[in-house]
Amino acid sequence: MLNQTILKVLHDAGQYFHTYSGSTFVVLLDQVSQEQSSTIAKDIALLCALNIKIILIAPTHAIGQPFVIESEEKLEEFLIKTQVTQRKTEVLLNQAFYQYQINSAIVSSSAVTTKPYGIHNGTDYGFFGKARSIKKELLNHILESASCLIIPTFGFAPTGETFIMDGLEMAEKIASSLQCQKLMILTEHENLPREMNATQAKLLCQDSNLPNNTRALIKNSIPAIEHGVDRIHLLNKATEGELIIELLTRDGVGSMITNEPYDEIKPAELTDIQALKALMQPLEDDGTLKKRSIQDLEKDIHNFYLMFRDNSLIGAVAYYPYPEEKTTELASLIVHPDYRKGKKANQLMQFVEHKAQEDGFNSIFLLTTQTAHWFMGNGFKEAKIIDLPKDKLAVYDYTRNSKVFFKHIV
C-alpha cells in the first residue's frame, strides 16, 4: 500500500516536471525561522534541480505594510540585519544544492531602483522606499546562468540614497516585470479559499472578519495577476514541504489567486475520447450510465463539455438541444471520484443551465436511474415519459426504466 501511494504521488507529480521546466518563480519568505529556512532551502533546491529558476526574496521585516525608518542609524541596523539574513540563506541553499548535486550558481544582486515612500497623513517614512524601476535586463542576464537569484530588500535611488523596501511590493514588481509564471508567498494565513480569481480576491479584501495583515497581503499581491503573472500562491510557512506539495500535486495545499477560474470547462474534441471513456467506464459498469462505445462517443463528441484541472480531465456533461420544444437534455453528468465533494457536479449543471438560457430554452430535462434525489435537491421535478420531446421519446429505452426530470429555467 505504501509503495502504491508513493507511485501515485510520483505519477501525479510527473506531469508538472515538463510543465514547469524552464519557468521562473518568485518566492517570498515572510519572516521565516531558521528551522523553516532550512526546510525551504531544500525545497528550492529540488525545484532548481527540475530546471525551475527561483528568484528568492527574504525580508527581515513584516511584509505588506510600510513602516517608519527615521534615521540613518536605524537604516544601518536594517541593512546589517538584511545582509546577515541573506548570508544565512545563501549558506543553507548552498548546502541543499550540494545535496542535489546542482552545479549552477546562487547569485545575489540588487534589482530595484528606489525612491522615497514619502510623507503620508503627516508621517514622514524616512528611509522606507518604494520601487522606481526594475532592472529587468540585468535579472534576465543573471538567470541565464544562475538557478537561484537572491534579491535583498533594499535599493538605491538615483541620488545615491539607500531605502529599505517592502518585500511584498518588491516581489510583485519583479514577478510582473519579468512576467514570471508564479509568485509564491510563504507566510501565515487562515481560512482562505483554495482558489480565487482576481475579482473574488478583491471582494475578499473587503471582508472585515479577515485580519488586517491578511487583507493587505491579498490586496498588495493582486497587481501581479493583473500585470501578467499566471498565479499567486499563498502558503503556510510553518507547514513542512508546502512549497513542493503546492507545485507538484494536482490540488495543492495553499490558497491560489488566478486570472481565470482554475477549473476550465470547454467543448470536447476527438482527441479527448479516450480520457472521456475512461472517466465514464466505472459508471457504465455499475449501470449508472448507459453504455457507449468509442464509435458512439465519436458521433456525439460535439455534445460533450469537459472540465479540466491542470490539463487533467475531472468532469464531463453532455448537452443535447431540442430547439422545437425549447428544451435541452442534460446527460452523462460525471465527476472524477477524487472531486465529488468539491461541488464540481453543481458547476457542470450550472454550466448547462446558463448555456440553455443563452440558447433561448425554457427548460432542461434528464433521465436517471440512480441519482434522482440529488437532482431533486437541485430543483428538478419528476415528470412523465410522455413529457419528453418527441424525438427523445422515440428512442427512450424502456429496459432501463429511467425516471424523467424537468427543471424550468425561465
Side-chain angles (χ1 to χ4, degrees):
M1 182 63 72
L2 177 60
N3 287 340
Q4 299 233 340
T5 302
I6 293 172
L7 281 171
K8 185 179 187 305
V9 170
L10 289 173
H11 289 155
D12 287 346
Q15 66 177 300
Y16 297 104
F17 296 165
H18 174 72
T19 299
Y20 293 149
S21 180
S23 299
T24 301
F25 300 164
V26 174
V27 177
L28 172 62
L29 309 183
D30 181 14
Q31 295 182 290
V32 300
S33 67
Q34 184 71 11
E35 182 180 353
Q36 291 164 349
S37 295
S38 179
T39 300
I40 293 168
K42 294 175 184 177
D43 292 346
I44 289 173
L46 175 57
L47 297 180
C48 291
L50 297 175
N51 194 34
I52 298 169
K53 305 285 188 178
I54 299 294
I55 299 175
L56 182 63
I57 302 172
T60 58
H61 45 275
I63 63 173
Q65 298 288 348
F67 55 91
V68 176
I69 304 176
E70 69 275 9
S71 65
E72 290 193 8
E73 289 75 14
K74 285 290 183 183
L75 174 62
E76 286 294 325
E77 290 179 16
F78 273 108
L79 290 174
I80 292 171
K81 192 175 180 181
T82 297
Q83 290 170 332
V84 168
T85 298
Q86 180 178 318
R87 175 59 183 160
K88 290 180 178 178
T89 302
E90 286 186 40
V91 169
L92 292 171
L93 283 169
N94 273 298
Q95 290 172 344
F97 270 42
Y98 180 79
Q99 178 182 345
Y100 284 103
Q101 299 183 351
I102 302 172
N103 296 320
S104 179
I106 299 168
V107 177
S108 174
S109 176
S110 176
V112 183
T113 302
T114 59
K115 59 184 177 181
Y117 186 75
I119 300 172
H120 294 261
N121 298 321
T123 299
D124 187 346
Y125 284 78
F127 290 95
F128 185 84
K130 58 191 303 184
R132 180 189 296 271
S133 63
I134 305 297
K135 300 174 184 177
K136 179 179 176 180
E137 291 76 15
L138 171 63
L139 295 180
N140 282 326
H141 177 71
I142 293 173
L143 289 171
E144 288 178 2
S145 56
S147 293
C148 184
L149 171 58
I150 304 174
I151 299 181
T153 50
F154 60 82
F156 305 99
T159 56
E161 295 172 292
T162 304
F163 293 96
I164 298 294
M165 279 191 62
D166 172 29
L168 179 56
E169 185 201 3
M170 179 177 283
E172 184 275 311
K173 296 293 186 186
I174 291 171
S176 298
S177 179
L178 270 63
Q179 294 290 279
C180 296
Q181 286 79 5
K182 294 181 182 292
L183 167 56
M184 312 195 72
I185 305 171
L186 282 89
T187 183
E188 293 179 351
H189 67 80
E190 294 181 358
N191 301 322
L192 291 181
R194 168 65 190 121
E195 304 157 21
M196 300 176 278
N197 58 33
T199 301
Q200 292 167 330
K202 287 178 181 178
L203 291 174
L204 188 63
C205 289
Q206 301 172 19
D207 185 351
S208 59
N209 293 320
L210 279 182
N212 290 335
N213 61 329
T214 303
R215 283 193 282 170
L217 173 67
I218 297 171
K219 179 181 178 181
N220 294 333
S221 61
I222 289 174
I225 286 292
E226 297 175 331
H227 295 149
V229 175
D230 291 341
R231 291 175 182 172
I232 298 169
H233 300 259
L234 307 178
L235 308 175
N236 190 337
K237 63 184 180 182
T239 303
E240 184 175 351
E242 183 131 338
L243 190 64
I244 297 299
I245 296 170
E246 176 72 1
L247 284 173
L248 300 184
T249 62
R250 187 184 297 169
D251 300 307
V253 287
S255 182
M256 182 171 62
I257 307 174
T258 71
N259 245 334
E260 299 295 336
Y262 187 41
D263 297 326
E264 180 184 14
I265 299 176
K266 60 183 182 181
E269 299 178 0
L270 287 173
T271 53
D272 298 316
I273 286 178
Q274 292 296 336
L276 177 58
K277 180 62 176 176
L279 185 67
M280 299 173 73
Q281 192 66 57
L283 297 176
E284 291 181 349
D285 292 344
D286 69 12
T288 302
L289 292 181
K290 183 178 180 179
K291 290 185 180 295
R292 292 172 183 261
S293 66
I294 293 294
Q295 291 72 25
D296 291 334
L297 288 176
E298 287 177 350
K299 183 180 68 174
D300 285 357
I301 195 66
H302 64 281
N303 293 107
F304 278 86
Y305 292 85
L306 308 183
M307 176 181 281
F308 290 90
R309 168 167 292 197
D310 270 6
N311 298 316
S312 295
L313 179 62
I314 65 169
V317 68
Y319 178 95
Y320 294 92
Y322 293 84
E324 186 175 336
E325 290 91 345
K326 289 191 175 298
T327 190
T328 191
E329 180 184 7
L330 182 160
S332 300
L333 178 59
I334 322 161
V335 175
H336 188 283
D338 290 348
Y339 298 91
R340 288 177 186 165
K341 294 182 179 180
K343 296 189 176 180
K344 304 306 177 187
N346 296 77
Q347 293 178 29
L348 288 164
M349 182 183 66
Q350 289 166 8
F351 171 83
V352 169
E353 289 186 17
H354 292 154
K355 180 167 175 54
Q357 288 175 332
E358 290 175 356
D359 290 346
F361 297 154
N362 301 323
S363 64
I364 301 171
F365 73 91
L366 58 91
L367 306 179
T368 183
T369 58
Q370 299 182 27
T371 54
H373 281 199
W374 187 85
F375 285 109
M376 290 170 66
N378 284 281
F380 284 83
K381 298 185 182 301
E382 188 170 359
K384 298 177 181 179
I385 297 173
I386 195 68
D387 294 326
L388 291 170
K390 62 178 186 297
D391 289 345
K392 183 65 180 180
L393 182 60
V395 296
Y396 178 82
D397 185 353
Y398 286 90
T399 64
R400 283 180 58 80
N401 197 28
S402 301
K403 291 188 175 182
V404 178
F405 286 86
F406 270 81
K407 182 177 182 178
H408 294 282
I409 56 175
V410 176

